[in-house]
Amino acid sequence: MPLANKPAEAARPAARSSAGRVRHLAIIMDGNGRWAERRGLPRVEGHRAGIEALRRVVEAAPGLGIEVLTVYAFSTENWRRPKAEVDALMGLLVEFLHAETPALKAQGVRIQAIGDLAGLPPQPRAALAWAMAETREQKRLVLNLALNYGGRSEIVRAARKLAREVAAGRLDPEAIDEDRFAAALDTAGLPEPDLLIRASGEERLSNFLLWQCAYTEFWLTSTLWPDFDRSDLEMALDAYANRQRRYGGLG
Ligand code: IPE
Ligand code: IPE
Ligand code: MG
């Protein structure tokens, strides 16, 4: 009987390769305002508590195998908020960079940024330039701050950059492929995010990493960002490890 001659292995289900380690984690740090409102506090206190949550995640990340951590800190749409909140956010950013850069450097963290940085006010821009220069040699973790960041804005800026190269006669339009385009984005040189976490229960991308998240796995939690801790992070990474990434193929 031919069936009896089948190798034993064929009867077993094929080993499912798990997604494994997250090299690049992206986080939409959402829910700061609601966290504060629930406590009867001003929204800015939620942003302050959000910085503490970020500190916890940055400390835990390298030990969990993460090499790049991209966090959505201020979107191109967040300018629509009242001026007082925008000013408070910019102030907290400056405070964070001045206060935390030495400790981050000591932990081997390299600070980088994506977004339309020229559109930031002078103070945060200067603090960022200083923090990036100060930590440029660090190799344990890239902390990539998305500031005045919008996925659409980034794609338009990349298109403009390539168009300028074409207009100057330095680039053949036919040479523009996906790799070339990706290299013109703010995230040039970084791997694409393996996992995207959004806190606060919202289930949308809100203009974050539109190009880069084409095949990123999502993990959504109702936990408000200021309450997010190491156990939430471990839960997300465990869920990721059991995913099967197929990229349109059959896995
Ligand atoms: C995320 O928290 C931080 C920023 C957008 C800067 P929110 O401020 O959006 O908090 P909620 O969504 O209002 O609770
Ligand atoms: C996304 O959160 C931006 C950041 C976390 C910085 P928002 O709170 O601005 O997003 P929407 O408005 O709820 O989509
Ligand atoms: Mg929000």
Side-chain angles (χ1 to χ4, degrees):
M1 291 272 302
L3 274 177
N5 290 336
K6 265 194 167 178
E9 285 77 17
R12 274 191 237 130
R16 292 165 75 89
S17 60
S18 64
R21 184 166 67 94
V22 172
R23 281 182 72 199
H24 183 174
L25 173 66
I27 306 183
I28 302 179
M29 309 186 290
D30 198 13
N32 296 350
R34 279 163 283 171
W35 183 93
E37 282 155 20
R38 283 178 198 176
R39 286 166 175 72
L41 297 170
R43 289 178 58 88
V44 62
E45 292 309 318
H47 297 312
R48 220 178 262 288
I51 291 177
E52 289 307 311
L54 176 59
R55 196 204 312 270
R56 288 195 290 273
V57 169
V58 168
E59 275 173 15
L64 296 167
I66 294 164
E67 295 166 23
V68 182
L69 175 64
T70 298
V71 293
Y72 210 2
F74 193 89
S75 76
T76 46
E77 287 72 35
N78 286 147
W79 299 107
R80 293 177 185 157
R81 296 188 178 198
K83 185 177 182 302
E85 180 162 346
V86 170
D87 289 349
L89 282 166
M90 293 298 155
L92 281 176
L93 172 63
V94 172
E95 202 181 301
F96 167 78
L97 291 169
H98 284 160
E100 296 299 322
T101 296
L104 290 170
K105 184 176 178 180
Q107 289 171 56
V109 177
R110 176 175 187 179
I111 299 171
Q112 292 193 335
I114 54 172
D116 190 354
L117 305 179
L120 288 172
Q123 259 203 324
R125 225 165 63 200
L128 189 62
W130 170 75
M132 285 168 57
E134 196 62 19
T135 60
R136 64 166 8 119
E137 307 292 338
Q138 304 310 314
K139 300 212 173 353
R140 208 159 154 252
L141 176 76
V142 171
L143 173 60
N144 191 25
L145 304 171
L147 291 165
N148 193 21
Y149 178 86
R152 288 182 174 179
S153 148
E154 179 191 35
I155 288 168
V156 167
R157 285 186 286 104
R160 235 184 254 148
K161 212 183 291 175
L162 295 171
R164 274 197 299 266
E165 291 292 298
V166 170
R170 288 191 293 264
L171 177 63
D172 174 1
E174 297 309 315
I176 301 174
D177 56 12
E178 292 184 11
D179 286 343
R180 188 76 191 228
F181 199 90
L185 295 169
D186 298 345
T187 49
L190 297 176
E192 286 176 4
D194 300 296
L195 179 67
L196 171 80
I197 294 176
R198 183 163 190 157
S200 91
E202 307 299 350
E203 301 183 344
R204 52 178 171 263
L205 217 36
S206 300
N207 203 11
F208 194 38
L209 301 173
L210 297 181
W211 170 284
Q212 297 85 346
C213 282
Y215 269 101
T216 298
E217 297 289 328
F218 288 5
W219 192 79
L220 308 170
T221 175
S222 58
T223 299
L224 300 175
W225 176 249
D227 291 327
F228 195 95
D229 62 16
R230 194 193 166 98
S231 68
D232 296 287
L233 179 59
E234 286 177 353
M235 229 190 299
L237 298 179
D238 285 350
Y240 174 85
N242 289 311
R243 303 268 179 96
Q244 236 202 324
R245 301 185 75 179
R246 286 193 286 269
Y247 302 98
L250 298 179

